[in-house]
Amino acid sequence: DQQVKQNSPSLSVQEGRISILNCDYTNSMFDYFLWYKKYPAEGPTFLISISSIKDKNEDGRFTVFLNKSAKHLSLHIVPSQPGDSAVYFCAATDTNAGKSTFGDGTTLTVKP
Amino acid sequence: ETGVTQTPRHLVMGMTNKKSLKCEQHLGHNAMYWYKQSAKKPLELMFVYNFKEQTENNSVPSRFSPECPNSSHLFLHLHTLQPEDSALYLCASSQVHGGLDGYTFGSGTRLTVV
């Protein structure tokens, strides 16, 4: 049973527009949520995170939204740039159990 | 040198070989992790070390043996692997286990078992 799901394997967006990446989870014990970006031949890089006590966290062009009742989080990138093209992973952490679970990833392509 | 460094970047080994993957971090982090990424699968947690003590073994077969001699180094010893063990093996570290600052990942070792 996959506890963290990214249902869109890929997303294509025009440069300057908004990119919205989605993630759903099933375990209500998750209390920290994180987004990572991965370029080919590199390890994932931490982008932004949010605690379950918040519903929004913003860092420059990146905003993460958390809807606990729907067990859903999303990453908004505005404006999207070609350099944002990468695989994006969401991860959810149960801090009591000390476990982080990753989604499958969504490949974002930003077209010039 | 900063960040998380993994060696080797690529490894091809036979099923009867013994090899080791090395991970080194100079970030002063207290937790280190081994993850496995197989094709078309999410990242799978293998092992967690917190303050040099193993705190998690995620039902990993005994042909994978981790070692954490100090807080900066983590090894994954491999022996009698199977072809289905071919994957990208990622090491990561974090200041606090499961914190909001996320993990710092290495670039990974691409392992091929023949």
Side-chain angles (χ1 to χ4, degrees), chain A residues 32 36 41 43 49 98-100 104, chain B residues 9 42 56 97-98 100-101 103 106:
Chain A
Y32 281 175
Y36 292 83
S49 62
K99 284 191 176 185
S100 288
D104 289 349
Chain B
R9 291 295 304 273
E56 181 79 29
H97 180 34
L100 267 179
D101 291 338
Y103 299 164

Side-chain angles (χ1 to χ4, degrees), chain A residues 15 37 39 61 80-86 88 110:
Chain A
E15 181 179 7
K37 177 168 77 171
Y39 292 120
R61 297 185 298 115
S80 301
Q81 300 173 353
D84 296 328
S85 298
Y88 289 79
V110 180

Side-chain angles (χ1 to χ4, degrees), chain A residues 2 32-34 36 38 41-44 46 49-51 89 93 95 97-100 102-104, chain B residues 9 35 37 41-43 45 48 56 58 88 90 97-108:
Chain A
Q2 197 169 339
Y32 281 175
F33 303 89
L34 307 98
Y36 292 83
K38 184 181 185 301
E42 294 182 15
F46 169 69
S49 62
I50 188 168
S51 164
F89 293 97
T93 300
T95 53
K99 284 191 176 185
S100 288
F102 283 77
D104 289 349
Chain B
R9 291 295 304 273
Y35 275 87
Q37 187 177 26
K41 282 189 172 183
L43 285 164
L45 177 65
V48 179
E56 181 79 29
N58 206 23
L88 179 68
L90 288 160
H97 180 34
L100 267 179
D101 291 338
Y103 299 164
T104 302
F105 281 88
S107 297

Side-chain angles (χ1 to χ4, degrees), chain A residues 6 8-13 19 21 35-45 47 62 75 77 80-89 104-111:
Chain A
Q6 295 176 253
S8 298
S10 63
L11 174 68
S12 183
V13 170
S19 296
L21 298 130
W35 283 95
Y36 292 83
K37 177 168 77 171
K38 184 181 185 301
Y39 292 120
E42 294 182 15
T45 303
L47 261 180
F62 301 91
L75 175 68
I77 306 174
S80 301
Q81 300 173 353
D84 296 328
S85 298
V87 179
Y88 289 79
F89 293 97
D104 289 349
T106 296
T107 300
L108 173 66
T109 303
V110 180
K111 298 180 179 178

Side-chain angles (χ1 to χ4, degrees), chain B residues 49-111:
Chain B
Y49 278 82
N50 201 20
F51 292 94
K52 299 187 295 178
E53 297 296 321
Q54 187 180 133
T55 58
E56 181 79 29
N57 177 339
N58 206 23
S59 303
V60 180
S62 59
R63 56 186 184 269
F64 296 90
S65 174
E67 180 190 1
C68 187
N70 55 61
S71 57
S72 299
H73 294 86
L74 186 64
F75 295 90
L76 188 62
H77 303 299
L78 317 170
H79 63 97
T80 59
L81 294 191
Q82 306 298 311
E84 59 264 29
D85 296 322
S86 299
L88 179 68
Y89 289 85
L90 288 160
C91 173
S93 69
S94 63
Q95 179 63 41
V96 174
H97 180 34
L100 267 179
D101 291 338
Y103 299 164
T104 302
F105 281 88
S107 297
T109 295
R110 173 68 64 184
L111 174 68

